[in-house]
Amino acid sequence: MSVINTPPPVANPTDIYGQPVSNEKLDNYLTHGKGFLSWALTLDHKRIGIMYMVGVLATFLLGGIFAVLLRTELIWAGQTLPHLIADTWTSQYNQMFTLHGAVMTFLFIIPAIPAILGNFVLPIMLGAKDVAFPKLNLASFHIYVLGSLFFVWILVGGLVNAAMASYMNAAELAIWMDNWGWLFPYGLDTGWVFYTPYSTSKTTAAVVPATIGVFILGFSSILTGLNFIASIHMLRPKGMTWFRLPLFAWALYATALIQILATPVLAITLLLLAAERLLQIGIFDPALGGDPVLYQHFFWFYSHPAVYIMVLPALGVISETIGVMCRKHIFGYNFIALSSVAIALFGFLVWGHHMFTSGQSALANALFSLITFSVSIPSAVKVFNWLSTMYGGSIRLNTVMYWVLGSILVFTIGGLTGLHLGTLSTDIHLHDTYFVVAHFHYVMMGTVLFSLVAGMYYWWPKIFGVMFHEGFGKLAAIVTIVGFNLAFFIQFILGAQGMPRRYASYEPQYEIYHQISTWGAFLMGLGLFLVLGNWLHSIWYGKKAPANPWGANTLEWQTTSPPPHDNFKQAPTAGDPYDLKRWRWEESTEEWVLKDDAVRSELQAVKPNH
């Protein structure tokens, strides 16, 4: 195994033959049409991906601000932050962690990789001009924006109520709330799970707009999944058989299956919850003759597969990039591809492990525990194949690889600690403690976030046609990965010692753990701002990117950077997506170009674009 440095970028944009791109060919999807409407009403999958990027990263910033506020509140036992937006400071804490969880889960983690990278990359990977249903794709984005506005509504409602409370006495505030409370809902404090009967009988009216928002967001997820499945079935070029499909596309396909089959269950469940709250129909509330455990069954039947909606695309990014960065054909292609489908299928069978303490039967607990362990098999297959790909490869320790290694690290830690939560005896002790918080942040947050950043860096030259700064990229990766592990690894110890989750304060013996975790969160925030700064700097000051800066062999690297409006001037030919031997490093221009025999093969296969 050897390590080589990342090659410097070229000064001018070039095509896959190493030829400078002429000015008449420089028209690309970014310059194809100007003005707000050319973006808001575009059917171009690449522009829709960019709009998702702005929206999803904005919600990540909002959820991240709530995370920093939560960790700041917890740096000392007792009240730390000023009391502004709720009846008590503990209620304010509950509202902050609810919005943090809901925004991060429904607005950031679930759509992040499929919506941003999937939309931009998948059609080009398939050698297609767009997704199968471009108008449906645009509708998915508009639905995402509409669903997001419900959470913005709740946030604005909280700020308005805080402003009113600052200069009204209690009597005036009560009158104002009676008249205008419906317009400015606030006080969502149920946690992102909206557990009944609390969400139907005890908490504020903000539950209804929040559940409607999630209901709408579900449609965006379903329509995106439908589009991806149809695109993969209908638009693959000649020669791209199922087992020549890029592994990122396999991951998106498996994810889309879950989106289509599981999301309607959540949508119906939240609709029932809203109906119970508004119409007093007894479904989940025992006071009305309902069953709160039924809600948990419905919710987790969706939400556990939803973990794989979040994670599978992230694992797809790792599988897609690690072979390129090791200059080696991906090890065990078939096993990685089929393990994505296996994880998607097993994910539907394990929801009961979230309910070991809910009173379900001992037999059900034992069966769900047993099935839960089955998920670890395809997950371990992926990790084994990634490590085998690295073994004997020429590893390029560049920014992309830093984030890929960070993602493998946190996914492995998250997966191994999940075994303790799937085991009945240890889960009873660890249930609802910080051990669970640490576990799902490693799996859902760390794995997805690090893979998203890895994918963004990997495809950044293709998306914007510019190269980023390698030094800052590596520095940001180190700071963020260290900060993340500082913030969350200590929480495994905290949870094992009995610190419950969702508490605004704690006993003095837990203070040192919370302080370490908080400083880790601050460090992680600093690292992520370095990432953002590097991306923004590259847009204005980055060097022009060649068509294929990594020497990769999937089809998106066979068009110019950034791609033209219709992706390819000529239909590309598909072969083994990980045959890296077709490319050679050209010293004179310092870029990857097709080898002569590959060029001859390309020219023989050239035909008019479809």
Side-chain angles (χ1 to χ4, degrees), residues 66 89 166 174 185 213 239 261 315 335 365 415 420 470 530 532 563 590:
F66 281 122
W89 70 274
S166 65
L261 296 175
L315 306 184
F335 288 98
N365 279 348
H420 301 288
E470 270 292 332
L530 288 175
L532 178 63
E590 296 185 326

Side-chain angles (χ1 to χ4, degrees), residues 334-583:
N334 291 356
F335 288 98
I336 295 179
L338 295 177
S339 65
S340 295
V341 180
I343 290 174
L345 296 177
F346 284 135
F348 280 101
L349 306 176
V350 299
W351 80 91
H353 73 219
H354 292 273
M355 301 164 59
F356 286 157
T357 60
S358 70
Q360 66 186 1
S361 72
L363 176 61
N365 279 348
L367 289 175
F368 279 121
S369 176
L370 185 65
I371 300 171
T372 297
F373 287 113
S374 66
V375 181
S376 63
I377 298 172
S379 303
V381 165
K382 287 186 181 293
V383 175
F384 174 79
N385 284 291
W386 296 332
L387 297 180
S388 299
T389 301
M390 293 174 63
Y391 182 76
S394 298
I395 300 173
R396 292 192 287 182
L397 275 180
N398 55 20
T399 300
V400 176
M401 196 60 184
Y402 274 40
W403 287 101
V404 167
L405 292 174
S407 190
I408 294 174
L409 172 69
V410 298
F411 177 67
T412 304
I413 294 174
L416 291 174
T417 53
L419 296 176
H420 301 288
L421 299 176
T423 306
L424 279 169
S425 56
T426 48
D427 180 77
I428 299 301
H429 171 68
L430 298 171
H431 187 81
D432 265 349
T433 69
Y434 263 79
F435 191 96
V436 180
V437 177
H439 163 70
F440 73 69
H441 275 86
Y442 265 84
V443 174
M444 292 164 53
M445 192 65 205
T447 304
V448 175
L449 176 63
F450 293 175
S451 293
L452 171 66
V453 178
M456 291 281 285
Y457 272 120
Y458 180 66
W459 282 295
W460 192 264
K462 184 58 61 182
I463 295 173
F464 292 108
V466 292
M467 300 299 295
F468 49 84
H469 193 284
E470 270 292 332
F472 277 117
K474 293 177 182 177
L475 175 64
I478 293 171
V479 172
T480 308
I481 294 169
V482 170
F484 177 88
N485 284 282
L486 201 59
F488 293 108
F489 195 85
I490 198 77
Q491 293 182 7
F492 286 121
I493 303 170
L494 193 58
Q497 294 189 359
M499 173 72 206
R501 60 194 290 196
R502 301 193 180 109
Y503 277 37
S505 189
Y506 46 80
E507 296 297 318
Q509 67 264 29
Y510 298 128
E511 190 165 82
I512 183 62
Y513 301 105
H514 277 291
Q515 290 179 350
I516 292 172
S517 182
T518 300
W519 284 112
F522 292 162
L523 190 62
M524 181 182 169
L526 173 64
L528 291 172
F529 273 109
L530 288 175
V531 172
L532 178 63
N534 197 10
W535 288 346
L536 295 177
H537 178 271
S538 72
I539 290 176
W540 281 284
Y541 304 106
K543 295 181 179 178
K544 299 295 183 184
N548 189 356
W550 312 119
N553 197 44
T554 42
L555 295 184
E556 77 271 22
W557 300 109
Q558 298 187 29
T559 186
T560 51
S561 302
H565 172 68
D566 51 0
N567 293 344
F568 298 95
K569 297 301 179 186
Q570 296 167 329
T573 56
D576 182 348
Y578 304 109
D579 180 12
L580 305 181
K581 294 178 181 178
R582 297 177 72 234
W583 299 84

